[in-house]
Amino acid sequence: MANMTDCEASMATDEQLQEMAGKLRVHSLRMTTAAGSGHPTTCLSAAEIMSVLFFSVLAKNDEFILSKGHAAPILWAAFAEAGLIARDELLNLRKIDSVLEGHPTRRMPLIKVASGSLGQGLNAGVGMALAKKLAHAPGRVFVLQGDGETAEGSVWEAADCASGSRLDNLTVIVDANRLGQSGPTRHGHDLAAYERKFRAFGWATAVVAGHDVPALQKALAGPRPGDKPLAVIARTFKGKGVSFLEDKEGWHGKTLNEKELHAALAEIGPADITLPSGYSPSRAAFTFTDYPCDEYAPTDVVSTRVAYGRALLALGGANEHVVAIDGDVKNSTMAEDFFKAFPGRSFEAYIAEQNMAGMAMGFSAMGFRPYVATFAAFLTRAHDFIRMAQYSGSNITFVGSHAGISIGADGPSQMGLEDLSLFLSMPEAVVLYPSDAVSCARLVKETARSGGISYLRTTRDQTPVLYGNSEEFPIGGLKVLRRSPRDQALIIAAGITLHEALKAHAALKNNGIAARVVDLYSLRPLPEAELSRHAGECGNRVVVAEDHYGGAIADLVARVVGKVTGLYVKEIPRSGKSGELLALMQIDHAAIAAACLTLVH
Amino acid sequence: MANMTDCEASMATDEQLQEMAGKLRVHSLRMTTAAGSGHPTTCLSAAEIMSVLFFSVLAKNDEFILSKGHAAPILWAAFAEAGLIARDELLNLRKIDSVLEGHPTRRMPLIKVASGSLGQGLNAGVGMALAKKLAHAPGRVFVLQGDGETAEGSVWEAADCASGSRLDNLTVIVDANRLGQSGPTRHGHDLAAYERKFRAFGWATAVVAGHDVPALQKALAGPRPGDKPLAVIARTFKGKGVSFLEDKEGWHGKTLNEKELHAALAEIGPADITLPSGYSPSRAAFTFTDYPCDEYAPTDVVSTRVAYGRALLALGGANEHVVAIDGDVKNSTMAEDFFKAFPGRSFEAYIAEQNMAGMAMGFSAMGFRPYVATFAAFLTRAHDFIRMAQYSGSNITFVGSHAGISIGADGPSQMGLEDLSLFLSMPEAVVLYPSDAVSCARLVKETARSGGISYLRTTRDQTPVLYGNSEEFPIGGLKVLRRSPRDQALIIAAGITLHEALKAHAALKNNGIAARVVDLYSLRPLPEAELSRHAGECGNRVVVAEDHYGGAIADLVARVVGKVTGLYVKEIPRSGKSGELLALMQIDHAAIAAACLTLVH
């Protein structure tokens, strides 16, 4: 029944679509009662919208995102009625062995973008719509969002980007059912308020009765507005179709008991209709093409952010599905080389980091491979999106420049000091921290080769090249930069502190102390066996130095080797020169050498 | 010269204010050249605005926030000319021993809200304006923001909240200088675009020539619009006043060399004027009043989120400067008890977590004590604001409910699994994790007593009361729930896993194994000495169980006691029942008991 053409699918009559809306209601109520938890009333407000979308509007090249993720039951119901999953799967909603989770995640193979943290669907939709433009691909992108979630600023970041990019292939439907979780939304049924906002942000708008099938048909399948994205603002009622639920407060996350269910189904009436659907989502994959990495001379002094810029350029030259997204700092992250070379694949998100990350989810779902860069500090702005990207199964590399106190005089607001904690708290994220240009170039390639979420931390300051061009940097590895057969201490570092570690090594050597120095460029996966071996060979006297709060790297190492001396940023820093700050915060060469001496003596 | 009355300050002539603008330009250029880094051109675009504000408009009850924090030099210059700091301090800009940092922070005592992560000032301004309304305090709140930062969705969250709350005492000035860091802003000098947006969000607007002193005077000091907040959109030029800087790209974060400085100062001309200012900021403090905590019966079974709701009510009853802010989940976080009892001090932020946190910074600066609650997962949405709150010196308690996989069927998007990492990455944050109603009530009181940022993690599930009502829970403490003189292993837990630990203890006891069980309710400060002692008394066989990603608590403990067995959420969870998930992720009683057995045998 799936994979009907646009034409076949749109042949359903208004009466049939109305009946299908009833059937979707019945499924949603039955599923949530069986599960004993969930959000039935938000499904009911969206029943006509979902029926019209799935059984009249959506064609095979179209994309659909359920931004109001708590309405997952009606999405699963629509999938079942569209023939994409078996109907008898539905009653497994929320069970531990079912892919039909409480909110959509990547476990359900038809889901391209997880939802459930509200106000993210439109950002992903913008990414998909941009990807379609880039690929000259037909079809439209539809995002169904709640009225409550329009309060999220990320929605307006997406709205701004969509109109600025003239995304006439993007439609958002606002299911304005008046009620949030804990009470009425700010605008209630003042639909003109939503219309004013979307218009001010450059969108075409249509206000419709959201339970009126012909009106929805006209708005969603009708003639399209010039070169603008379209917002269809639908006046709906939460719990629509069941008298004791409709427009009532107190039913947000509540399911019906068996008796209530019986009464509700009686009100909704017969639900035997079947209809074909033109919707048939598929996930596009990115295929990596190899290329030669940039080469550096041993005498070069190059910041890793500059090396990142060049590496991205080389990657993009060989891989036409690589896209770059930046937040008005491309001349700092150095993504600007790519922007100049490949303007069509470069996306200026302006100062809107949530949209930057959300767009990347959309691009990834369409087979593109996004590289998203800003100051490491400002990735915290996108934390919730990055978190959700892992549940979306996205392939995205985030790049945080200006890591740590070594940026100096700009002060703490600009210092990325929590970025490693952020990415290390995600179970599957690859976390890389190159210390020189050669390793940075190679690690950029490794991220492109690997799937999932990866993070690359770069440094503002210029640093000398440490490696020859033939060196390999596999994910999960480390490098030993200084060693001797009689090493008395092990210094582990990455980024700016690795260069301090090398200075400490020299100072210790002058004092007759042999220390081993390890470049721990791969924080996850962690080279556990190698770390353990080196620690053992150095008498388990281990110093870890990092330009980050809280001892994130020290903790990783300690898990493997036991107790370590962790040198990290232990208090709130301030403006100053890079070297002054490294000394003040006790992560410079002197502090490293002193820590080694303490361990050795 | 400071502390002039409104009347005295406003007597400056247009010519004098224009000359003062020149003087502020001179200071800004000299300061940044002396520092060798900074953002002079963004200061120059704001010179007339700052002159008119500081030397004509601002009166002693007014508040000012520099949202475009990179324009810090002109703020310090205005402070100096207003007599608030010594003029010869200015050339210490960005030096390691100066409070005049690259971007405003709490180190400078006159700064109430740090800036430098863009798009946060208006949110704090909303909090200040609401605080003024609540306190029936006179005066206005002015926020100076850049045009680039209006791309941040958080600005529109603030805008929505401000108009919804009829904040006629709030004015934002958009310094629309056309140029961002890496290129033109999306709207450039299309000021009507900003006007449309603010109007659609319910604001009164005025578009002015931003270098025209009389026009600024009229817009900022003139008659005020009905009950709406006011957006003054000022057409300005980056680098204004210096021919080779004005409206030129490539000068964002660049300072002038001595020769360029000389030429620039010659163009600006004489700058000898002095003028009085009515601006005199002062930071209000919160004073804690003690009260009796809620009492619970030993047989009670109460979730810590419910206990939090009751505790907040008790706290608010005794402390009239406590305010509650929630993001449309007050019936889940249980802040709703407070909302019902104290509607005037309760603020529904709707689904806009950034604004929720930003508002709290504003309230805190005005002497109120905000308690900010949402699902722990959604605090990630406010990560950048929480980060900046620590640099603002704010006193805020964040409360994250629905922590961990134990929430069950809603799935991973709703599970707070990174919140401890987030708060523990902040050097000064107090991090508390109560396991029963008694301790939760007492810890809420402790947070109110302590300053700074604190985090309280609550649990969705109901759990039995563990403590008597006479028990004290000092910050930095722990509780021993099970002990014997011959304990063979130490189980450390908090929250839901503590209850699993108690079950594990019983099972181990049945197998003849004595285990000690510690409730580690204070994660920071950590009771290091006590932990160390208990570990030693249990043969350093330590198991840490936590409902969180990455082993955040295990790492804290390991730093003190050495190697531990960390049981935590090691992979991405899914929908399911609470008990099923605890078992699947190996943090339940069976996993804890098994880990102890492995250590003991």
Side-chain angles (χ1 to χ4, degrees):
Chain A
M1 203 155 29
N3 302 330
M4 295 290 141
T5 68
D6 201 4
C7 183
E8 283 172 294
S10 64
M11 284 171 66
T13 66
D14 293 343
E15 291 70 25
Q16 288 175 319
L17 291 168
Q18 186 63 60
E19 196 178 336
M20 178 57 79
K23 193 171 188 183
L24 297 176
R25 287 193 168 96
V26 168
H27 281 312
S28 302
L29 292 172
R30 280 196 170 130
M31 291 164 74
T32 48
T33 293
S37 68
H39 305 81
T41 57
T42 197
C43 296
L44 270 49
S45 73
E48 281 79 12
I49 296 167
M50 290 293 283
S51 173
V52 168
L53 278 174
F54 273 72
F55 303 99
S56 174
V57 173
L58 286 171
K60 77 167 192 261
N61 292 311
D62 292 339
E63 302 292 336
F64 175 75
I65 298 173
L66 181 73
S67 186
K68 45 179 279 183
H70 52 302
I74 200 167
L75 179 63
W76 308 143
F79 279 1
E81 289 300 323
L84 299 166
I85 58 172
R87 281 195 191 86
D88 56 15
E89 273 295 305
L90 294 180
L91 292 182
N92 293 327
L93 175 72
R94 293 174 165 246
K95 287 187 183 162
I96 196 149
D97 51 0
S98 171
V99 298
L100 305 184
E101 295 200 72
H103 295 75
T105 72
R106 66 179 194 189
R107 283 188 200 280
M108 167 60 194
L110 301 174
I111 292 299
K112 297 185 179 182
V113 178
S115 54
S117 182
L118 292 167
Q120 301 199 4
L122 192 55
N123 307 82
V126 166
M128 285 184 174
L130 284 167
K132 274 189 182 293
K133 295 273 178 191
L134 183 51
H136 303 288
R140 299 167 66 185
V141 178
F142 293 87
V143 177
L144 175 55
Q145 76 174 26
D147 46 355
E149 62 181 308
T150 63
E152 289 286 8
S154 51
V155 170
W156 304 105
E157 295 178 7
D160 213 25
C161 184
S163 61
S165 308
R166 297 194 171 77
L167 296 181
D168 56 356
N169 57 349
L170 177 65
T171 296
V172 67
I173 304 112
V174 180
D175 178 4
N177 66 20
R178 194 185 72 81
L179 295 174
Q181 171 177 324
S182 69
T185 58
R186 189 186 297 281
H187 292 309
H189 267 150
D190 176 12
L191 271 58
Y194 298 109
E195 195 173 28
R196 273 195 302 274
K197 290 179 181 179
F198 275 105
R199 284 188 180 230
F201 276 74
W203 287 52
T205 56
V207 171
V208 299
H211 301 299
D212 179 339
V213 166
L216 287 167
Q217 287 264 46
K218 190 174 156 212
L220 294 171
R224 308 257 289 286
D227 61 353
K228 292 179 174 180
L230 172 65
V232 175
I233 299 146
R235 181 185 169 92
T236 61
F237 294 93
K238 208 158 173 173
K240 172 75 180 178
V242 178
S243 57
F244 58 92
L245 301 176
E246 190 169 318
D247 207 28
K248 298 275 196 296
E249 290 193 49
W251 277 98
H252 176 81
K254 215 164 155 183
T255 59
L256 278 56
N257 63 31
E258 286 296 337
K259 197 178 152 193
E260 290 163 341
L261 176 64
H262 189 75
L265 298 187
E267 283 195 34
I268 294 169
D272 301 323
I273 188 150
T274 62
L275 288 172
S277 171
Y279 184 58
S280 89
S282 63
R283 198 181 252 274
F286 168 74
T287 311
F288 172 74
T289 304
D290 207 353
Y291 61 93
C293 279
D294 307 298
E295 305 218 326
Y296 291 89
T299 51
D300 283 348
V301 179
V302 186
S303 70
T304 50
R305 63 182 172 127
V306 165
Y308 165 70
R310 292 185 194 158
L312 184 65
L313 189 65
L315 171 66
N319 290 273
E320 62 179 14
H321 282 82
V322 166
V323 298
I325 312 177
D326 197 277
D328 192 23
V329 287
K330 54 188 178 288
N331 53 343
S332 288
T333 62
M334 303 314 286
E336 67 177 357
D337 297 345
F338 186 102
F339 272 65
K340 282 175 192 154
F342 309 111
R345 289 191 265 145
S346 300
F347 299 90
E348 176 54 77
Y350 299 96
I351 308 174
E353 294 79 9
Q354 296 188 83
N355 190 49
M356 194 168 70
M359 274 163 61
M361 286 192 235
F363 272 112
S364 170
M366 305 295 283
F368 288 89
R369 186 67 175 77
Y371 278 71
V372 178
T374 184
F375 283 23
F378 304 142
L379 287 171
T380 57
R381 194 73 155 240
H383 191 165
D384 195 23
F385 281 76
I386 296 168
R387 182 179 79 87
M388 290 300 292
Q390 72 187 324
Y391 304 141
S392 299
S394 303
N395 301 314
I396 304 173
T397 299
F398 293 95
V399 181
S401 73
H402 292 64
I405 58 171
S406 69
I407 68 157
D410 274 332
S413 64
Q414 316 297 301
M415 296 168 172
L417 287 162
E418 43 292 281
D419 52 313
L420 294 178
S421 293
L422 191 164
F423 284 96
L424 288 169
S425 77
M426 296 166 61
E428 297 174 356
V430 167
V431 183
L432 304 171
Y433 189 7
S435 300
D436 88 329
V438 170
S439 57
C440 184
R442 275 139 194 84
L443 289 173
V444 168
K445 187 196 277 194
E446 295 300 326
T447 58
R449 217 176 236 156
S450 73
I453 307 296
S454 50
Y455 177 57
L456 188 85
R457 187 180 215 223
T458 67
T459 300
R460 180 176 184 273
D461 279 1
Q462 292 190 319
T463 44
V465 163
L466 299 172
Y467 299 103
N469 291 305
S470 61
E471 201 84 34
E472 294 293 318
F473 289 83
I475 289 176
L478 58 72
K479 293 286 171 192
V480 183
L481 280 169
R482 299 287 185 276
R483 74 187 303 167
S484 79
R486 46 164 198 92
D487 289 331
Q488 297 158 273
L490 172 63
I491 307 171
I492 296 172
I496 196 79
T497 55
L498 182 65
H499 298 275
E500 297 295 317
L502 294 173
K503 287 183 217 164
H505 171 273
L508 289 165
K509 196 173 177 185
N510 287 341
N511 284 311
I513 310 275
R516 191 166 299 182
V517 179
V518 158
D519 171 2
L520 188 57
Y521 66 82
S522 178
L523 301 177
R524 179 168 324 108
L526 193 70
E528 298 192 4
E530 281 184 275
L531 276 177
S532 189
R533 180 166 56 78
H534 290 295
E537 289 174 8
C538 299
N540 286 311
R541 289 179 289 272
V542 182
V543 174
V544 180
E546 62 195 288
D547 193 357
H548 192 273
Y549 280 148
I553 303 179
D555 283 341
L556 292 177
V557 174
R559 283 190 205 179
V560 177
V561 310
K563 207 134 183 166
V564 304
T565 300
L567 304 177
Y568 52 88
V569 182
K570 288 174 183 156
E571 57 184 88
I572 290 176
R574 55 192 307 160
S575 288
K577 293 193 198 312
S578 177
E580 288 174 333
L581 283 162
L582 292 171
L584 186 69
M585 294 293 154
Q586 296 278 295
I587 57 170
D588 70 336
H589 59 91
I592 295 170
C596 289
L597 283 172
T598 303
L599 288 178
V600 170
H601 292 307
Chain B
M1 203 157 28
N3 302 329
M4 293 291 140
T5 68
D6 202 3
C7 183
E8 285 173 293
S10 62
M11 284 173 65
T13 66
D14 293 343
E15 291 68 27
Q16 289 174 318
L17 292 168
Q18 186 64 58
E19 195 178 337
M20 178 58 79
K23 193 170 189 184
L24 297 177
R25 287 193 168 96
V26 168
H27 281 311
S28 301
L29 291 172
R30 281 197 170 130
M31 291 164 73
T32 48
T33 292
S37 67
H39 305 81
T41 56
T42 197
C43 296
L44 269 49
S45 72
E48 281 78 12
I49 297 167
M50 290 293 283
S51 173
V52 168
L53 278 174
F54 273 72
F55 303 98
S56 173
V57 173
L58 286 171
K60 78 166 189 259
N61 293 310
D62 293 338
E63 302 292 336
F64 174 75
I65 298 173
L66 182 73
S67 186
K68 44 179 281 184
H70 52 302
I74 200 167
L75 179 64
W76 308 143
F79 279 0
E81 289 300 324
L84 298 166
I85 59 173
R87 281 196 189 86
D88 57 14
E89 273 295 304
L90 294 179
L91 292 181
N92 293 327
L93 175 72
R94 292 174 166 246
K95 287 188 183 162
I96 197 149
D97 52 359
S98 170
V99 298
L100 306 184
E101 296 202 71
H103 295 75
T105 71
R106 66 179 193 189
R107 282 189 201 281
M108 167 60 194
L110 301 175
I111 293 298
K112 297 186 179 182
V113 178
S115 54
S117 183
L118 292 166
Q120 301 199 3
L122 192 54
N123 308 81
V126 165
M128 285 185 175
L130 284 168
K132 274 188 182 293
K133 294 273 180 192
L134 183 51
H136 303 288
R140 300 168 65 184
V141 179
F142 293 87
V143 177
L144 175 56
Q145 74 174 26
D147 46 355
E149 62 182 308
T150 63
E152 288 285 8
S154 51
V155 170
W156 304 105
E157 295 178 7
D160 213 25
C161 184
S163 61
S165 308
R166 296 192 172 78
L167 296 181
D168 56 356
N169 56 350
L170 177 65
T171 296
V172 67
I173 304 110
V174 180
D175 178 5
N177 66 22
R178 193 183 75 80
L179 294 174
Q181 171 178 325
S182 70
T185 58
R186 188 186 297 282
H187 293 307
H189 266 149
D190 176 11
L191 270 59
Y194 298 109
E195 195 174 28
R196 273 195 303 274
K197 289 179 181 180
F198 275 103
R199 285 188 179 230
F201 276 74
W203 286 53
T205 57
V207 171
V208 300
H211 301 299
D212 179 338
V213 166
L216 287 167
Q217 287 264 45
K218 190 175 156 214
L220 294 171
R224 308 258 288 287
D227 61 354
K228 293 178 174 182
L230 172 65
V232 175
I233 300 147
R235 181 186 170 91
T236 61
F237 294 93
K238 208 159 174 173
K240 173 74 181 180
V242 178
S243 57
F244 57 92
L245 300 176
E246 189 169 319
D247 207 28
K248 298 274 196 299
E249 291 193 48
W251 277 99
H252 176 81
K254 217 165 155 182
T255 58
L256 278 57
N257 63 31
E258 286 296 339
K259 195 177 156 195
E260 289 162 340
L261 177 65
H262 190 75
L265 297 187
E267 283 195 35
I268 295 168
D272 301 322
I273 188 149
T274 60
L275 288 173
S277 171
Y279 183 57
S280 90
S282 63
R283 197 181 254 274
F286 168 74
T287 310
F288 172 73
T289 303
D290 206 353
Y291 61 94
C293 280
D294 307 297
E295 305 219 327
Y296 291 90
T299 52
D300 283 348
V301 179
V302 186
S303 69
T304 50
R305 63 182 171 127
V306 165
Y308 165 69
R310 292 184 195 160
L312 184 65
L313 188 66
L315 170 66
N319 290 274
E320 61 179 13
H321 282 81
V322 165
V323 298
I325 312 176
D326 197 277
D328 192 23
V329 287
K330 55 187 177 288
N331 54 342
S332 287
T333 62
M334 304 314 286
E336 67 178 356
D337 297 346
F338 186 100
F339 272 65
K340 282 173 194 157
F342 308 112
R345 288 192 266 145
S346 299
F347 299 90
E348 177 54 77
Y350 298 96
I351 307 174
E353 294 80 8
Q354 295 188 83
N355 191 48
M356 195 168 68
M359 273 162 63
M361 285 192 238
F363 272 112
S364 169
M366 305 296 282
F368 288 89
R369 186 68 177 75
Y371 278 71
V372 178
T374 184
F375 283 23
F378 305 142
L379 287 171
T380 56
R381 194 72 155 242
H383 191 164
D384 195 23
F385 282 75
I386 297 168
R387 182 178 80 87
M388 291 299 292
Q390 74 187 322
Y391 303 141
S392 300
S394 302
N395 301 314
I396 305 172
T397 300
F398 293 95
V399 180
S401 72
H402 292 65
I405 58 171
S406 69
I407 67 156
D410 274 332
S413 64
Q414 316 297 301
M415 296 169 173
L417 287 162
E418 42 292 281
D419 52 313
L420 293 178
S421 294
L422 191 164
F423 284 96
L424 288 169
S425 77
M426 295 166 61
E428 297 173 357
V430 167
V431 182
L432 304 171
Y433 189 6
S435 300
D436 87 330
V438 170
S439 57
C440 184
R442 274 139 193 84
L443 289 172
V444 167
K445 187 196 278 191
E446 295 301 326
T447 58
R449 216 176 238 158
S450 72
I453 307 295
S454 49
Y455 177 57
L456 188 85
R457 187 181 215 223
T458 67
T459 300
R460 181 177 183 273
D461 279 0
Q462 293 188 318
T463 44
V465 163
L466 298 172
Y467 299 103
N469 291 306
S470 61
E471 202 83 35
E472 294 292 320
F473 290 83
I475 288 176
L478 57 72
K479 293 286 170 191
V480 182
L481 281 169
R482 299 287 185 273
R483 75 185 304 166
S484 79
R486 46 166 199 91
D487 289 332
Q488 297 160 273
L490 173 63
I491 308 172
I492 295 171
I496 196 79
T497 55
L498 182 65
H499 298 274
E500 297 295 317
L502 294 173
K503 287 184 216 164
H505 172 272
L508 289 165
K509 197 174 178 184
N510 287 340
N511 284 312
I513 310 273
R516 190 166 300 183
V517 178
V518 158
D519 171 2
L520 188 58
Y521 66 83
S522 178
L523 300 177
R524 177 165 327 108
L526 194 69
E528 299 193 4
E530 282 183 274
L531 276 177
S532 189
R533 180 166 57 78
H534 290 296
E537 289 174 9
C538 299
N540 285 311
R541 289 179 289 271
V542 182
V543 174
V544 180
E546 62 194 290
D547 193 358
H548 192 273
Y549 279 147
I553 303 180
D555 283 342
L556 292 178
V557 174
R559 282 189 205 179
V560 177
V561 310
K563 206 137 183 167
V564 304
T565 301
L567 305 177
Y568 52 88
V569 182
K570 289 175 181 153
E571 57 184 87
I572 290 176
R574 55 191 308 159
S575 288
K577 293 192 198 312
S578 177
E580 289 174 333
L581 284 162
L582 292 171
L584 187 69
M585 295 292 153
Q586 297 276 294
I587 58 170
D588 70 337
H589 57 93
I592 295 169
C596 289
L597 283 172
T598 302
L599 288 179
V600 170
H601 292 308

